[in-house]
Amino acid sequence: MIVTSPGWTSVRESFFSWYWFRHSFSDVLSAFWLDVKMFLILEAIVLVFALLVALCRNSRAPALFPLRLVATVYTDLFRGIPTILLIFLFGFGIPGLAIKGVPTDPLVLGGAALVLSYSAYVAEVYRAGIDSVHTAQTAAALAVGLTRGQAMRYVVVPQAVRRVVPPLLNDFISLQKDVALLSILGVIEALRQAEIDQGLNFNSTPLVAAALLYICVTVPLARVLDHMQARARRRQQAVMV
Amino acid sequence: MTAVLELRGVTKSYGDRQVLKGIDLTVNEHNAVALIGASGSGKSTLLRCIDLLEDIDDGDVLLDGEVITDPSVDPIKIRRRLGLVFQAFNLFPNMTIAENVALGPRRAHREPKDEALARAHELLERFGLEGRERDYPDRLSGGQQQRVAIVRALATNPRALLLDEVTSALDPELVGEVLAVIRDLKRDGMTMVIATHEMAFARDVADEVCFLHEGLIAERGSAEQILTDPQRPETQRFLRRILETQRL
């Protein structure tokens, strides 16, 4: 269908040109390293920050009520705002305020927007995991003399994290792609570099090259995810027998 | 005789439902008190209230003469002096058997890791669980898991051990090994409160049997007396029902 369509020849020339692919691939690849680096750094921060948010939301002590409130408002708010809008707000709004000492680097600001947006989702994933660990486990931990905090740390959270690894990896893949949104702040990552090459040569093949690079990372990640889900299923069945 | 545990007029409600309607109970040192009664009669709730996992509405619980249900008492410190074993074992699946046993000593009593693990190995060996220290709980049979749970409760040298229907979740052929452990503990002088459906076992180990009915101790006495010559019609009815499935 595609190959026999009337416009195929021109589309093939502008998107799938082997010549332009080779011409721009090294440019896009070196820009793609920035995506990979950003992804790894942001993901690490998200994993830690989101867990803190989840723990705040799950806290029970009356003294921690303000923290619980802040965490709840945060997740509601940041899950409600489109990620691209957050990146705009952070990347152009914060430098516009011209406050001394506040960074203006688009990598930092855009990265912060991504962290805040993704942490709101990931915190909810953690929270679901924490809630899924049976209260009997907490009771058993308290019965051996642990404090509530220790029960969380040594008994509940380790089990919760193990359970939510598949949905966490799902958010991983999503974040890996959304690093490309930083291009709207002028960060020269793979997508931006591809656009530059596209503009220079009036040929869109560099965009396809960028897409290929994203796939090279996300597909293996997805396979790892499938594998882990299958393993989790097997474990669950083993427990039920 | 020193009273280790004492309950005075303990009441507990969940919403509108009053589960405990005024429980008085004294457990002397080295004694075992068996709580019998139908499901829902309040046995488990009573044990959870003693371990301060549930707040009581009224009355007092005393441990070695100290009122532990007073709001000024830190429940964590009290739980460190008591051991509780659950019906469903509740072992920590993310830890090995030895780590399960050593968790309380390490984290609650701040023992050094090596010391706590060495003692865990020692205790596990004493209860016939040597060689399983590095296994995870799901590799063990139900009977073994429950024995580990008992060892875990013993690891912190509790003043008294609370056992909540510890054989009810087990296959019949695994009940014996767990009861044998409790008999050993009784012989060694452990103070115990045992909620159980095993009447023959209660007669074996219990110095006193209390029959719980609708949130009250309807009848109490020596095991022999309650189990062979119950006075109250509720007790007679309950025992008759139990006897249809078990033999004394």
Side-chain angles (χ1 to χ4, degrees):
Chain A
M1 271 286 269
I2 295 171
V3 193
T4 54
S5 63
W8 170 242
T9 334
S10 68
V11 166
R12 188 179 59 185
E13 184 46 40
S14 57
F15 281 92
F16 300 101
S17 149
W18 181 237
Y19 173 79
W20 288 115
F21 185 85
R22 273 183 313 177
H23 186 266
S24 60
F25 187 76
S26 66
D27 274 1
V28 178
L29 180 65
S30 57
F32 187 67
W33 284 123
L34 181 63
D35 288 75
V36 173
K37 268 187 288 184
M38 280 302 279
F39 161 66
L40 290 175
I41 294 167
L42 296 180
E43 183 63 39
I45 300 171
V46 165
L47 283 176
V48 175
F49 181 62
L51 182 59
L52 289 177
V53 173
L55 288 174
C56 287
R57 283 200 74 172
N58 272 64
S59 64
R60 294 182 40 170
L64 294 179
F65 175 74
L67 223 59
R68 197 152 59 240
L69 185 73
V70 168
T72 309
V73 170
Y74 159 73
T75 42
D76 283 355
L77 207 66
F78 281 79
R79 278 195 307 167
I81 303 174
T83 310
I84 192 162
L85 202 72
L86 267 181
I87 292 175
F88 263 122
L89 281 174
F90 273 64
F92 297 124
I94 291 178
L97 296 173
I99 304 169
K100 265 205 186 117
V102 173
T104 52
D105 185 343
L107 268 183
V108 175
L109 292 172
L114 279 174
V115 164
L116 287 172
S117 178
Y118 270 83
S119 293
Y121 285 97
V122 174
E124 288 300 284
V125 172
Y126 276 132
R127 203 162 70 98
I130 289 169
D131 287 345
S132 80
V133 178
H134 201 269
T135 50
Q137 286 287 314
T138 308
L142 294 178
V144 296
L146 267 58
T147 62
R148 281 204 174 271
Q150 287 176 322
M152 261 294 169
R153 177 165 166 204
Y154 298 112
V155 175
V156 177
V157 168
Q159 292 180 55
V161 168
R162 216 159 296 180
R163 283 180 200 199
V164 298
V165 163
L168 279 183
L169 271 177
N170 212 23
D171 284 335
F172 252 56
I173 290 173
S174 191
L175 174 62
Q176 204 274 325
K177 291 179 300 173
D178 275 356
V179 169
L181 289 175
L182 296 182
S183 62
I184 62 173
L185 299 181
V187 172
I188 303 186
E189 48 68 67
L191 178 63
R192 184 70 177 178
Q193 182 63 50
E195 281 172 347
I196 291 170
D197 283 12
Q198 177 200 23
L200 281 175
N201 309 311
F202 303 105
N203 187 287
S204 301
T205 306
L207 292 178
V208 175
L212 210 66
L213 286 170
Y214 282 110
I215 287 172
C216 282
V217 173
T218 50
V219 170
L221 262 178
R223 286 291 80 77
V224 171
L225 182 129
D226 284 352
H227 175 74
M228 293 183 90
Q229 272 171 330
R231 212 177 57 177
R233 245 195 326 273
R234 276 199 301 277
R235 272 186 75 128
Q236 202 117 38
Q237 278 161 352
V239 170
M240 278 161 70
V241 164
Chain B
M1 289 251 249
T2 341
V4 175
L5 282 168
E6 223 178 312
L7 280 71
R8 296 177 187 157
V10 169
T11 64
K12 169 75 186 171
S13 303
Y14 293 111
D16 292 338
R17 210 167 69 87
Q18 198 171 26
V19 185
L20 302 177
K21 296 176 180 166
I23 302 284
D24 296 296
L25 182 69
T26 302
V27 187
N28 288 319
E29 195 166 21
H30 310 309
N31 274 13
V33 171
L35 303 173
I36 62 169
S39 302
S41 59
K43 303 189 295 290
S44 294
T45 307
L46 186 57
L47 293 180
R48 293 174 66 90
C49 285
I50 296 173
D51 207 29
L52 306 183
L53 290 173
E54 304 280 350
D55 293 326
I56 61 172
D57 300 336
D58 210 354
D60 293 314
V61 179
L62 288 78
L63 174 61
D64 287 323
E66 175 197 1
V67 180
I68 58 172
T69 40
D70 190 89
S72 68
V73 175
D74 181 3
I76 291 154
K77 294 215 172 83
I78 300 304
R79 289 191 207 110
R80 288 175 183 167
R81 288 159 58 188
L82 292 168
L84 174 61
V85 184
F86 301 85
Q87 180 176 345
F89 331 139
N90 297 3
L91 293 180
F92 308 126
N94 56 317
M95 297 178 202
T96 64
I97 298 305
E99 286 165 350
N100 261 276
V101 175
L103 183 71
R106 272 185 75 187
R107 302 302 176 190
H109 297 265
R110 306 241 165 256
E111 276 177 37
K113 183 182 175 183
D114 297 342
E115 226 167 87
L117 282 173
R119 231 175 73 72
H121 281 255
E122 212 172 279
L123 272 171
L124 287 166
E125 200 178 319
R126 199 178 116 204
F127 290 95
L129 291 155
E130 67 272 7
R132 309 313 299 263
E133 292 91 345
R134 284 163 191 279
D135 282 332
Y136 283 84
D138 59 357
R139 309 290 300 170
L140 271 61
S141 73
Q144 289 172 326
Q145 288 190 44
Q146 193 57 294
R147 276 151 61 203
V148 172
I150 293 173
V151 171
R152 181 176 70 179
L154 291 173
T156 49
N157 295 319
R159 188 77 174 106
L161 196 59
L162 312 169
L163 302 161
D164 186 5
E165 294 195 34
V166 292
T167 59
S168 298
L170 295 176
D171 291 333
E173 75 269 21
L174 302 176
V175 168
E177 58 182 275
V178 173
L179 296 185
V181 168
I182 302 167
R183 283 197 183 91
D184 280 354
L185 293 176
K186 169 63 182 158
R187 205 168 306 131
D188 295 345
M190 177 59 77
T191 308
M192 292 186 281
V193 185
I194 308 168
T196 185
H197 282 298
E198 304 280 341
M199 295 305 147
F201 165 70
R203 189 158 71 168
D204 254 21
V205 301
D207 300 286
E208 188 184 24
V209 171
C210 296
F211 172 63
L212 252 79
H213 182 67
E214 293 179 351
L216 282 168
I217 296 179
E219 190 168 354
R220 68 177 88 204
S222 73
E224 201 61 37
Q225 187 236 308
I226 297 287
L227 297 175
T228 56
D229 185 25
Q231 303 299 307
R232 300 279 300 261
E234 304 93 323
T235 321
Q236 291 163 0
R237 219 176 310 127
F238 171 74
L239 287 172
R240 210 176 311 123
R241 268 209 313 273
I242 288 278
L243 277 173
E244 281 168 16
T245 52
Q246 289 179 21
R247 280 177 169 272
L248 269 180

